Amino acid sequence: MRTRFAPSPTGYLHLGHAYSALVGHDLARSRGGSFLLRFEDIDHTRVRPEYYEAIESDLRWLGLDWDGEALRQTDRLPAYRRALEALRGRDLLYPCFCTRREIREEIARMAHAPHGPEGPHYPGTCRRLGAPERERRLAAGHDHCWRLAAGRAAELTGPLRFTDTRHGTIDVAPDLLGDVVLARRDIQTSYHLAVVVDDAYQEITDVTRGEDLLPSTHVHRILQELLGLPEPRYHHHRLLTGDDGERLAKRTEAPTLRDLRVAGESPAQVRALLDA
Ligand code: GLU
């Protein structure tokens, strides 16, 4: 068994992260398996160098150890590029030239814009561009991202499912998130693509993460199938909430492990908080 914890070095770890790390760590260690650390640092607009070391030090303070050096996604860009090329070569991606504003306006014009758990879907404007216009814009160097042609992907893969230890067997809904972006215009990759390529590269057998990412797993199963990558088991754990019932997320004022440590809490006390 191999699990991983995959934080983004965009801030200090809070209790929600600590819970996620513990779930992955304890699952692997209870079976004599490996626990890996991966920095999901592709979004250079939000990453800060000081957080890599801070995250490692907070995990060690909590008593968590991982196998080998932490993987950094910024060292893996050629692998993501190869995966994109493979998908593009099978006509599973299309360039999208729309700005956010154009997408918003198009959705507002539509009578029945499809929605998913993460909001309105991309309305498909650039999927319908003719090949000559697409080529013309690419040749002229117009800014673009690359989107998954979700309908075509579903035709190729046929019905898929995934298994989650808490949620059971789930049928993949190929259009749950619509034509997601697989390569952002500024970073040439995306969370969805990088996570799938790296879970396979790190030979992760069990993906442990918060249940807020359940919708993403539908996309990940499709990408695994299209790229010929193995299917891990999933364990989408519950999300920690604060006293007000609100989810502990970076943007709410969740206490960081650092705050707790400075306030004199011991690692054992923090673990006890997480079991509550
Ligand atoms: N980097 C993601 C996060 O911090 C984790 C993604 C995952 O575990 O697949 O939420």
Side-chain angles (χ1 to χ4, degrees), residues 192-213:
H192 295 304
L193 185 78
V195 83
V196 161
V197 169
D198 285 345
D199 281 337
Y201 176 71
Q202 293 189 292
E203 298 179 5
I204 301 304
T205 60
D206 294 76
V207 170
T208 54
R209 62 184 174 205
E211 61 192 358
D212 53 328
L213 287 168

Side-chain angles (χ1 to χ4, degrees), residues 29-44:
R29 296 299 188 223
S30 70
R31 312 278 172 93
S34 309
F35 174 64
L36 284 79
L37 181 60
R38 175 167 82 225
F39 285 114
E40 303 214 320
D41 59 350
I42 50 180
D43 187 353
H44 56 78

Side-chain angles (χ1 to χ4, degrees), residues 221-237:
R221 269 302 292 131
I222 292 170
L223 292 178
Q224 285 153 5
E225 201 65 19
L226 293 173
L227 293 167
L229 302 175
E231 173 193 353
R233 283 180 296 265
Y234 287 92
H235 180 97
H236 288 92
H237 59 70

